[in-house]
Structures are given as C-alpha cells and as structure tokens.
Amino acid sequence: MKKKSYKITFSLQEGYKPGAKVHRINFAARIIKEWMTDRLTDKQPVVSGLLQTGTLFFPAKDTANGMVTVSPTAIFTGELSSTEGISRKNKEVKQTLESLAVVLKERLKQESVFIVYRDTNWCV
C-alpha cells in the first residue's frame, strides 16, 4: 500500500489588504492543538502533522498596490503511512482534513484554506 500524504496551506494574514492583521505561527499551532484535543475527547479521528511557516507569492488582485502579493503563510503537512493510517477510508480522511481547515479558516479569518490529499486539491 502507498502512503497517503496531505497538506493544508493557509495565510497568517487576515485578507489581502495592506496593513491587515498578521497572526503568529504560535496562534495557528494553538488552534490545531485545540482542534485535535477536542476531536480526541469526542473520539473523532485526527491527523498528525508538521506545521511550518513560509511565504506565498502570487499575482496581485489589485495591481494598484503592485503586481505581486506576498503573504506570510503556514503549511500543515503529514502522511498516513502506518498500517492503521493507510487503512483509513479516503472519505473519512478528507472529512477530517476539512474539519481542521474550516477551524483554521474561521479562527484566522481567511477567505480560503487549501487542502491537498493524495492527488486531489480543493479549498474551503
């Protein structure tokens, strides 16, 4: 069986406007830890992963402020590679990833949070 890799990418900045609030990576880490703790308490599935910071570069929506937007970003990445993890149903893993992405979106006040699972990507 092949491992099942996943990634959730999100901005640490609220929206795209210059001067918008930028959250620290520690805040995102707390959100993930709280999400995981709540789900484990409720006996719901979780995903483990590594949280890293980065910088996302993309064409600006509003060229009045420049041609390129630079956004402080975080990536939560991991993989299901144990026998138990690989046997998890894809639908359940996708629902688990979406659950975390929705919490990150709401708490960090994002327009979109991006998920990649295996060969599929989507946003919430």
Side-chain angles (χ1 to χ4, degrees), residues 1 4 45 47 80 83-97 117-118:
M1 294 186 129
K4 297 179 178 182
V47 289
L80 303 172
T83 304
E84 181 182 316
I86 290 173
S87 66
R88 289 172 68 177
K89 301 286 185 198
N90 289 328
K91 182 178 180 180
E92 178 265 314
V93 175
K94 287 180 179 181
Q95 289 172 339
T96 303
L97 293 169
Y117 174 59
R118 301 182 83 185

Side-chain angles (χ1 to χ4, degrees), residues 12-61:
L12 294 170
Q13 179 176 316
E14 294 181 5
Y16 300 105
K17 294 182 180 173
K21 181 177 182 175
V22 176
H23 297 281
R24 294 180 182 218
I25 191 73
N26 294 348
F27 182 58
R30 274 198 321 270
I31 293 169
I32 294 168
K33 183 178 178 185
E34 289 170 8
W35 170 85
M36 190 178 283
T37 300
D38 290 346
R39 287 187 61 97
L40 289 170
T41 299
D42 293 340
K43 296 184 177 22
Q44 294 181 332
V46 298
V47 289
S48 323
L50 174 67
L51 182 64
Q52 299 175 305
T53 58
T55 305
L56 179 63
F57 298 84
F58 55 95
K61 288 184 176 184

Side-chain angles (χ1 to χ4, degrees), residues 11 13-17 20-21 71 108-111:
S11 178
Q13 179 176 316
E14 294 181 5
Y16 300 105
K17 294 182 180 173
K21 181 177 182 175
S71 176
L108 295 169
K109 298 182 175 139
Q110 298 299 297
E111 292 183 27

